[in-house]
């Protein structure tokens, strides 16, 4: 959140980027980045702006009817009030006219997670005499990075959910061996109960999917359409959770109920090797102090799966940002398929690495770990990642 303590660092970043300021905008939750930085809670039903200048104090523009969202705005910082559109546009012009300002804007919608400003608002800001550029790098540096305490929280959650995943898969195998196979939704509930006992939180899920259902990356098990996990199935377990006020850990684990078919092993090895290709690229470039971008890691993973003959069955990006506020965060994505994310992976950002192959009507395979960029090394969670397809 934007605070007097954060302001000097942010203003130095603006100076380094040759920006006159960062212009935040929100209306009815259209810009979660702005709302998060301003500490807004609940619905913001009127347009708001906040201008963070390279020097001097930030200035907010608040609607007269709605002071509530500004409760955490520091008392010594100016807060201008408007009610009509003429006053709003006039106040805005006095702040940004002739200035080069950053906004949550991505040219050509290249990075959808960043592209939060409506076209009409961009037109209004430009008509006020401002030059608008993307806030992409500022978002990475200020909004998406983790603190050391958040990294430690993530690592604890990661080790715990890895244990839960292993327990769930072992339980599925034991149920089959006993002749009483469990349904997907029953295994899902077992995971949720384990999270509750551990004091971990999740917003939805997890995903437990057998064979043909695992070929749907966004499958959701349900008691209304129970599917037993039986001998011969491929089992995908995707689970995510965090400590209260912590950073999410997000993992996917794979198993076979009984000896897997050769085709299953072939796909598993392609996915595992793609995951490791992305991690190796990142690890080597970061250790060497070289610039690396999420799209490059996506390309590395995709090249492996394509070379193995499954390129058309890898439908999604290799990974998503994980930030302090969201599981699917606003920092750099590991993506050169769905979007063109060319942001640098800077120290402090975290993300998933999760290539997958989805053979509709047969089975799907995904292997997911998380990674964090340290000052000179890539930190991967959990500490022990899956190397072989589990057979239970």
């Amino acid at each position: 959140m934007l605070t007097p303590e954060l302001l000097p660092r942010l203003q130095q970043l603006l100076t380094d980027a040759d920006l006159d300021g960062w212009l935040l905008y929100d209306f009815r939750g259209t810009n979660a980045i702005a709302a998060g930085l301003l500490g807004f809670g609940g619905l913001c039903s009127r347009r708001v702006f906040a201008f963070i200048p390279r020097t001097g104090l930030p200035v907010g523009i608040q609607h007269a009817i709605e002071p509530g969202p500004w409760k955490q705005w520091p008392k010594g910082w100016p807060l201008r009030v408007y009610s009509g559109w003429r006053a709003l546009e006039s106040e805005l012009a006095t702040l940004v006219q002739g200035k080069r300002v950053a906004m949550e804007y991505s040219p050509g919608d290249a990075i959808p997670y960043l592209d939060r400003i409506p076209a009409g608002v961009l037109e209004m800001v430009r008509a006020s005499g401002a030059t608008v550029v993307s806030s992409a790098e500022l978002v990475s540096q200020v909004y998406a990075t983790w603190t050391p305490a958040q990294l430690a929280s993530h690592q604890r959650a990661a080790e715990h959910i890895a244990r839960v995943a292993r327990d769930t898969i072992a339980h599925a195998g034991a149920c089959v061996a006993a002749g009483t196979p469990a349904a997907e939704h029953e295994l899902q509930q077992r995971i949720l109960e384990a999270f509750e006992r551990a004091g971990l939180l999740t917003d939805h899920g997890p995903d437990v999917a057998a064979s043909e259902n695992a070929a749907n990356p966004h499958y959701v098990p349900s008691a209304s359409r129970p599917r037993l996990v039986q001998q011969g199935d491929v089992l995908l377990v995707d689970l995510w959770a965090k400590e209260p006020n912590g950073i999410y850990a997000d993992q996917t684990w794979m198993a076979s109920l009984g000896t897997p078919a050769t085709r299953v092993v072939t796909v598993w090895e392609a996915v595992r090797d793609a995951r490791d290709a992305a991690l190796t690229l990142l690890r080597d470039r970061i250790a060497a102090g070289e610039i690396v971008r999420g799209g490059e890691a996506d390309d590395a993973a995709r090249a492996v799966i394509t070379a193995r003959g499954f390129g058309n069955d890898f439908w999604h990006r290799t990974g998503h940002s994980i930030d302090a506020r969201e599981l699917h965060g606003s920092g750099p994505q590991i993506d050169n398929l769905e979007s063109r994310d060319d942001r640098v992976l800077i120290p402090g950002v975290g993300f998933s690495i999760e290539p997958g192959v989805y053979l509709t009507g047969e089975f799907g395979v995904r292997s997911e770990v998380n990674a964090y960029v340290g000052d000179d090394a890539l930190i991967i969670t959990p500490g022990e990642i899956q190397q072989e397809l589990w057979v239970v």
Side-chain angles (χ1 to χ4, degrees):
M1 191 175 74
L2 181 61
T3 62
E5 292 73 25
L6 175 62
L7 184 60
R9 176 181 169 230
L10 179 48
Q11 290 183 322
Q12 184 60 55
L13 293 172
L14 292 170
T15 300
D16 294 343
D18 193 25
L19 290 167
D20 294 306
W22 188 354
L23 182 63
L24 300 172
Y25 165 85
D26 193 25
F27 172 68
R28 298 181 66 86
T30 56
N31 187 356
I33 294 170
L37 284 171
L38 296 173
F40 286 178
L43 181 65
C44 182
S45 69
R46 300 296 193 275
R47 290 177 290 177
V48 298
F49 286 93
F51 183 62
I52 307 164
R54 180 159 59 184
T55 60
L57 296 176
V59 179
I61 303 179
Q62 165 211 318
H63 193 279
I65 203 173
E66 201 165 58
W70 295 89
K71 288 184 294 186
Q72 299 192 70
W73 185 253
K75 294 187 182 303
W77 292 0
L79 189 57
R80 302 180 184 179
V81 180
Y82 79 97
S83 57
W85 62 267
R86 293 178 181 85
L88 171 63
E89 294 184 9
S90 175
E91 294 284 7
L92 181 63
T94 65
L95 292 175
V96 303
Q97 188 173 32
K99 293 182 171 64
R100 186 168 182 264
V101 302
M103 297 188 75
E104 284 68 70
Y105 148 69
S106 180
D109 193 40
I111 308 173
Y113 274 86
L114 178 72
D115 207 23
R116 310 291 186 114
I117 306 298
V121 173
L122 280 177
E123 291 172 353
M124 179 172 64
V125 174
R126 287 169 173 156
S128 297
T131 299
V132 179
V133 300
S134 176
S135 64
E137 299 302 337
L138 291 173
V139 170
S140 294
Q141 293 165 318
V142 175
Y143 185 87
T145 51
W146 305 359
T147 66
Q150 288 170 333
L151 171 61
S153 174
H154 166 84
Q155 290 174 310
R156 289 191 298 269
E159 296 308 319
H160 202 99
I161 71 170
R163 290 193 293 271
V164 172
R166 290 191 288 266
D167 172 78
T168 301
I169 290 170
H171 178 73
C175 288
V176 169
T180 56
E184 295 167 329
H185 72 276
E186 292 171 330
L187 296 173
Q188 179 194 55
Q189 186 59 38
R190 182 183 178 89
I191 293 171
L192 291 173
E193 291 169 357
F195 286 172
E196 184 175 4
R197 289 193 300 271
L200 297 176
L201 307 176
T202 189
D203 57 349
H204 67 288
D207 178 12
V208 178
S211 293
E212 72 284 353
N213 291 334
N216 175 0
H218 282 173
Y219 176 72
V220 178
S222 172
S224 65
R225 51 177 194 281
R227 180 8 172 129
L228 296 178
V229 179
Q230 304 183 84
Q231 187 75 12
D233 275 332
V234 175
L235 180 62
L236 180 152
V237 177
D238 184 4
L239 67 176
W240 51 93
K242 65 176 183 176
E243 296 179 342
N245 301 313
I247 299 281
Y248 271 104
D250 185 10
Q251 301 167 15
T252 304
W253 300 80
M254 297 299 310
S256 174
L257 280 298
T259 303
T262 300
R263 181 168 168 82
V264 173
V265 174
T266 298
V267 173
W268 159 254
E269 290 178 346
V271 169
R272 177 201 61 197
D273 294 349
R275 177 202 69 196
D276 291 349
L279 291 173
T280 297
L281 172 76
L282 295 172
R283 185 187 292 113
D284 291 350
R285 296 275 287 275
I286 291 166
E290 298 174 354
I291 288 175
V292 64
R293 305 175 194 275
E296 295 177 283
D298 181 79
D299 289 343
R302 203 165 301 280
V304 172
I305 288 177
T306 299
R308 306 288 176 90
F310 300 106
N312 291 335
D313 304 302
F314 182 9
W315 305 331
H316 59 72
R317 63 193 171 198
T318 293
H320 58 81
S321 164
I322 304 173
D323 65 31
R325 297 164 184 84
E326 296 180 273
L327 172 61
H328 293 84
S330 297
Q333 313 291 315
I334 311 303
D335 187 12
N336 195 27
L337 174 74
E338 298 179 41
S339 65
R340 304 183 299 281
D341 200 328
D342 61 356
R343 284 177 286 178
V344 175
L345 298 176
I346 62 171
V349 298
F351 43 85
S352 70
I353 296 290
E354 50 179 304
V357 169
Y358 308 95
L359 304 174
T360 303
E362 295 184 65
F363 62 90
V365 172
R366 182 167 64 252
S367 181
E368 179 180 13
V369 299
N370 300 156
Y372 170 86
V373 180
D375 289 334
D376 55 8
L378 185 72
I379 297 172
I380 300 167
T381 64
E384 182 179 348
I385 66 177
Q386 186 174 4
Q387 295 297 340
E388 303 298 334
L389 184 69
W390 288 349
V391 179
V392 294

